[in-house]
């Protein structure tokens, strides 16, 4: 690995370590509470649109990207 490739790989790892990406499956009210706390703490970076679980299940699934620091 060249010095340039090594430097690029290290920088990408450091950027990736700054975020946590998760899927949350819960009732809409519970998700809203979690999002409110994450937003108030300044950790919320991205919130995906709600997706129904289907099959008569009232829960939703949402994608969240949070800062680790």
């Amino acid at each position: 690995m060249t010095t340039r490739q090594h430097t690029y790989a290290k920088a990408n790892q450091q950027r990736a370590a700054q975020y946590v990406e998760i899927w949350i499956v819960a009732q809409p009210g519970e998700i809203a509470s979690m999002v409110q706390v994450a937003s108030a703490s300044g950790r919320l970076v991205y919130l995906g649109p709600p997706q129904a679980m289907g099959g008569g299940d009232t829960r939703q699934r949402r994608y969240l990207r949070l800062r680790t620091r």
Side-chain angles (χ1 to χ4, degrees), residues 11-34:
N12 278 344
Q13 289 173 352
Q14 288 173 346
R15 276 190 297 253
Q18 294 176 1
Y19 302 103
V20 173
E21 298 174 342
I22 58 174
W23 284 96
I24 293 179
V25 177
Q27 296 294 330
E30 295 170 340
I31 293 176
S33 298
M34 290 181 218

Side-chain angles (χ1 to χ4, degrees), residues 43-69:
R43 292 188 181 261
L44 184 64
V45 176
Y46 175 77
L47 175 65
Q51 298 176 355
M53 294 299 291
D57 193 350
T58 59
R59 297 179 301 167
Q60 292 181 344
R61 181 173 79 154
R62 293 196 84 168
Y63 171 80
L64 276 79
R65 186 172 193 194
L66 307 170
R67 284 187 185 87
T68 57
R69 300 179 198 147

